[in-house]
Structures are given as structure tokens and as C-alpha cells.
Amino acid sequence: MAPLPDNSPDPAYREKLGEAARVARSWDGPIVVLSHVDPDGDAVGSCLALSRALRALGKDVTVATAPPRYLRFLAREGELVDEVPALPEGTLLFVLDVADLPRVAGGPVEGAAFTVNIDHHGTNDRFGDIAVVQPGKAATALLVKELIEELGVSWTPQIATPCLTGIITDTGNFRFANTSREVLEAAGELLDHGVDYVWLTDRLQWRHPDYFRTLGRVMETVEFGLGGALVLARYTADMKPVSGAEEDDSDDFVGIIRYAEGVLVAALLKERGPDVKVSVRTRDGVSAQAICVELGGGGHVAAAGATIRGVDMDEARRRLVEAARRELERQGKLPVDA
Ligand code: AMP
Ligand code: MN
Ligand code: MN
């Protein structure tokens, strides 16, 4: 059984953040920054903001993350590497926005001289020499913003833009339940640091032309269940765009169907070779986290995911519907006709 997620605030958050800043400021050796598989705006934005701030302090920083197409505009040519095969001797490793070690992408986690884990997932297993994990924060980018302030680095538009990106994407453009005064104030401060907000929010929605055809195919599979409380859609391997087939930009598909009237749980099932990746979004306190922990994954209350290994789409759908049914029952929100 997966451990129960701990979504409570860490009272030692400030001290740990200060300790992480002290370690980073005094570090003479190489620094490597990694995030999670399938990096999203928070993963890529947090990595870019922190690495740019550390470079401003004169540090030797390598960032290994492979953003999907729609986020690549954030990085400069050559700024990111796909992978570091091994950590150099004496590395300070930052792992950002990753709940557990198996989800780290871009390089090994073994062999670091010191590891700092910075994250906002309640399902984080608190790995590392310092685990700065604050589940109440809407985005890892908010923790990174506070770390940059602890580091005493002067803000530039180049640091503030990816930092705001993490906040924008993890709050669904300031629409999810994690949007708060803290979020809006932090965003306002980042605007003061020179972010071109209108340009950024427009640019973040740009998609390759093939995306729209794929979106159409996926939307044709939409079905409702559990008395209308559940919506789900399927993204099968044959729907992948033929041209530009590299990394697709389907992150927001599940967010679209979540807006079907009456829905409490939205799920996208993605066929990935022998596995199925499930993305779940919820509302009104129904826990996507509980559903995905049951399926072997993790995440937040309102947004979570899981990769179900060695199943076909029908079996994944069956398990998802059952996990959603149990969570709706627990919450007393299962419609009587479900
Ligand atoms: P996704 O549906 O992949 O966009 O993920 C939604 C949220 O859940 C993100 O914060 C992810 O980092 C997290 N998440 C997704 N899959 C997993 C997993 N297998 N284990 C832990 N967290 C996950
Ligand atoms: Mn993320
Ligand atoms: Mn995040």
C-alpha cells in the first residue's frame, strides 16, 4: 500500500528554505537541477527560474529537463540538456516538483554530495538531505520564488517569467481551487519584476497545428459515468499526430473536459505502449489524489496522476471508474442513479 499522503503544512518550512539557501550560496562545486517525467509548466518554470538565479550568483549549473513543445519557448538555445548521464563529483542536486524518486527525470539521483528536494505534493516522500515540501503551496514555483528571495538574487524578467509560468500553469490560469491571495500577490510581484504577462499567457496557449486534430479525436471519445459525476476520454496511440510525433501537448485535454456540467471527476486515459497513463482532475473537495494513490500514483487533491502498468485501455478504465466510485462514496457525493 502507498503511504497516506501528508497534506499538512510543515511548520519548519521557513527554516528549511533558509538552510537550502545557505547550502546553495556557499556551494563551490557543480549544481544539477532536475524535475519530473512529463515536465509541466511548474517543472520547467521552476528549473529555469532557480537555475538562472543560481547562475546570477556565479554558480556552475546544469539543468536537465526535456519540455514538451508548447513550453520550449521558455528556454534559451542550449540552456537545457535532455539528460546528465552521471552526477559530477561533489554535486549539489536540486530536485524540483517531484513527489518521489522514481519520477525524477533527466539524470540519476544517486551520487550527489547533497540533495535538496523542493516540492508541493502531499504525496512527496520527503527524500533528500533537506526536504522543503509545502503541500499548501499552489506551485513549486512559489517555493522557488521564496528560495530566490532567500538567496538574495536581484529579480530580472528572465528569472521572473519562468517563475510566473509555474504559478500560471499549476493554478490553471488562476482558476483552480489552489488560487489564493498569496498566489495573486506573488504573481503581482513577479509582474513588478518585469514579466510581460499578456505576451506570456498568450504564448503559453500556442499549440502545434496537429494538436487541434488530436484534440478533436480525443473529444470524440468523451463519455459520462457514475450518474454524470464522472467524465472520461481516451487518447489512444493511433490518435497521436503523425508529423511532429515527438512530444505531444495533451496536458490540458483533461482540464477541458473537467468543465462538463455536473462533473466532479474528470479523467483522461492515455495509451502508452503496455501502460496507461491516467490524469485526473476533480472539484468540490473530491480527491483526485485519493483516486490516483489507489491506482499506484499520486499528486494533489484537485489534480493527480498515475501510470497503470501492463493494462489495456478497457482495464484501466474499469479500475479508474471503480476508484472514482469509491472516492465519491467516501465523500457522500455519489449520485443515487450511479
Ligand atoms: P498529470 O495528470 O500528469 O498532469 O499530473 C497531475 C499532478 O499529479 C501533477 O502534480 C503530477 O506531478 C502528479 N502526478 C502525476 N502522476 C503521478 C504519479 N504517478 N505519482 C505521483 N504524482 C503524480
Ligand atoms: Mn509538475
Ligand atoms: Mn507543481
Side-chain angles (χ1 to χ4, degrees):
M1 270 306 277
L4 278 181
D6 179 3
N7 295 322
S8 60
D10 182 353
Y13 165 68
R14 271 281 155 199
E15 280 157 49
K16 290 180 182 171
L17 199 72
E19 180 61 18
R22 272 191 296 282
V23 171
R25 253 199 319 266
S26 61
W27 201 264
D28 287 329
I31 301 180
V32 173
V33 182
L34 301 176
S35 188
H36 59 78
V37 289
D38 302 326
D40 51 21
D42 193 26
V44 177
S46 294
C47 286
L48 287 170
L50 179 62
S51 60
R52 288 175 185 179
L54 291 169
R55 286 193 183 118
L57 292 172
K59 306 293 175 188
D60 162 18
V61 189
T62 304
V63 192
T65 185
R69 197 164 47 203
Y70 77 101
L71 291 170
R72 274 180 218 147
F73 77 95
L74 289 167
R76 286 187 291 266
E77 192 72 33
E79 186 173 6
L80 304 174
V81 298
D82 282 354
E83 191 131 24
V84 282
L87 297 179
E89 182 82 23
T91 292
L92 168 59
L93 176 66
F94 277 96
V95 181
L96 307 181
D97 198 41
V98 192
D100 45 66
L101 289 169
R103 280 178 48 81
V104 175
V109 286
E110 301 83 31
F114 199 89
T115 300
V116 181
N117 164 8
I118 298 184
D119 187 34
H120 66 131
H121 294 91
T123 52
N124 188 294
D125 55 20
R126 277 74 172 172
F127 61 87
D129 297 295
I130 306 178
V132 191
V133 179
Q134 199 60 315
K137 299 272 184 193
T140 295
L142 281 168
L143 286 87
V144 165
K145 175 177 178 288
E146 289 173 344
L147 178 59
I148 290 170
E149 284 157 0
E150 286 283 337
L151 286 169
V153 174
S154 303
W155 285 99
T156 62
Q158 290 68 37
I159 301 174
T161 299
C163 195
L164 182 57
T165 298
I167 299 171
I168 291 173
T169 55
D170 262 25
T171 61
N173 303 304
F174 306 111
R175 289 179 303 181
F176 297 160
N178 57 3
T179 308
S180 61
R181 184 190 183 102
E182 181 200 18
V183 164
L184 296 171
E185 281 180 353
E189 288 170 23
L190 292 166
L191 293 195
D192 287 345
H193 299 318
V195 179
D196 184 343
Y197 181 71
V198 173
W199 166 81
L200 178 61
T201 51
D202 185 53
R203 193 63 187 76
L204 280 169
Q205 296 309 128
W206 290 16
R207 296 293 182 274
H208 188 282
D210 285 348
Y211 162 96
F212 298 92
R213 252 179 282 283
T214 302
L215 175 64
R217 291 189 190 112
V218 173
M219 291 300 140
E220 290 206 342
T221 70
V222 164
E223 55 168 318
F224 294 89
L226 304 178
L230 170 70
V231 62
L232 62 90
R234 295 166 182 239
Y235 182 176
T236 51
D238 58 298
M239 296 174 190
K240 280 203 191 311
V242 183
S243 62
E246 17 157 356
E247 204 29 74
D248 71 72
D249 292 340
S250 59
D251 281 9
D252 51 356
F253 290 2
V254 66
I256 296 172
I257 59 176
R258 180 182 168 277
Y259 285 109
E261 278 179 25
V263 157
L264 296 174
V265 180
L268 178 71
L269 305 176
K270 264 195 236 183
E271 191 176 14
R272 282 200 172 162
D275 307 327
V276 176
K277 164 75 203 283
V278 185
S279 286
V280 179
R281 305 291 184 265
T282 51
R283 60 162 52 78
D284 295 350
V286 175
S287 178
Q289 187 184 61
I291 295 169
C292 289
V293 165
E294 201 171 315
L295 299 171
H300 311 285
V301 171
T307 298
I308 312 178
R309 310 260 172 220
V311 292
D312 63 14
M313 292 286 269
D314 289 337
E315 175 59 17
R317 178 188 173 285
R318 196 190 62 73
R319 291 193 200 174
L320 179 272
V321 172
E322 283 320 302
R325 175 192 292 279
R326 276 189 289 274
E327 169 58 12
L328 287 166
E329 249 165 12
R330 267 194 295 271
Q331 302 279 342
K333 290 185 171 158
L334 187 68
V336 280
D337 55 342

